[in-house]
Amino acid sequence: MLVIAATARELGKTQNGAVCGVGPVDAAAVTAALIAERHPKAVLHVGLAGLRGYKGPELVIGLDAIYCDSDSKLVTKQVEPDPVLLSRATGAFPGARVCTIGMSGRVGGTAGVDVEAMEGFAVLRACKLAGVPALEVRAICNDVDEPDRSKWEFEKALDLLHGALPQLLAALDG
């Protein structure tokens, strides 16, 4: 299982992990390169995200990922995670929120979704095109509409994410 995160802080001390960079372009390009280089059996994309109506850090498992930066009918806008990985993750974390995660290259760039992140769709789409099973799991650290980043709870969300990763990886490895 290859674990991919936008930043080293999100990845933590995870074994067999890689940093894809912040934003959808780097995430897609680096993920595609990592797949070609490492030939993983599966990919777990992890990181932080925002939630409209944020009340505190919580774990979110992506039911699907939506690309919110384009109105073109020619652009793929939705990708679903591998159903086996999704089932294993939800079984391991029955209290986690399971929902659509919107992706935008800018904070506040999503509409019609509660959870917002910047790389998930790009990572999952690169995996889908390469035929590699993938799943996105996030820890919520802020309200999407909160502009004051000093109010974002990065450390609490990172602690939650890092604490969940060993159990999550064990569940995904089946």
Side-chain angles (χ1 to χ4, degrees):
M1 172 83 51
L2 173 61
V3 181
I4 297 177
T7 67
R9 284 184 71 204
E10 290 166 310
L11 194 59
K13 297 178 182 175
T14 303
Q15 300 295 316
N16 197 30
V19 173
C20 68
V22 175
V25 174
D26 281 353
V30 172
T31 298
L34 287 166
I35 290 169
E37 176 185 308
R38 297 189 188 184
H39 308 285
K41 291 181 181 177
V43 169
L44 171 62
H45 177 60
V46 298
L48 301 180
L51 171 71
R52 288 180 172 84
Y54 175 76
K55 295 195 181 357
E58 66 178 289
L59 203 60
V60 173
I61 300 169
L63 181 62
D64 60 346
I66 303 292
Y67 179 40
C68 298
D69 286 344
S70 176
D71 291 333
S72 173
K73 294 183 187 329
L74 302 175
V75 174
T76 298
K77 295 182 186 167
Q78 179 181 14
V79 64
E80 295 177 352
D82 178 78
V84 173
L85 295 178
L86 178 61
S87 176
R88 289 178 181 171
T90 57
F93 293 93
R97 181 186 297 254
V98 180
C99 65
T100 297
I101 300 174
M103 184 195 81
S104 177
R106 63 183 177 81
V107 174
T110 61
V113 294
D114 291 332
V115 177
E116 176 179 284
M118 296 180 86
E119 302 84 20
F121 173 89
V123 171
L124 267 63
R125 181 72 174 137
C127 291
K128 185 78 161 183
L129 291 172
V132 176
L135 177 70
E136 179 179 14
V137 176
R138 298 284 182 159
I140 302 299
C141 70
N142 64 284
D143 192 298
V144 171
D145 299 319
E146 176 55 66
D148 183 353
R149 291 191 182 194
S150 70
K151 294 181 180 178
W152 293 14
E153 297 185 285
F154 293 111
E155 295 309 317
K156 287 181 181 179
L158 287 168
D159 287 347
L160 175 63
L161 180 62
H162 297 157
L165 274 172
Q167 182 181 349
L168 181 59
L169 289 170
L172 295 180
D173 283 338

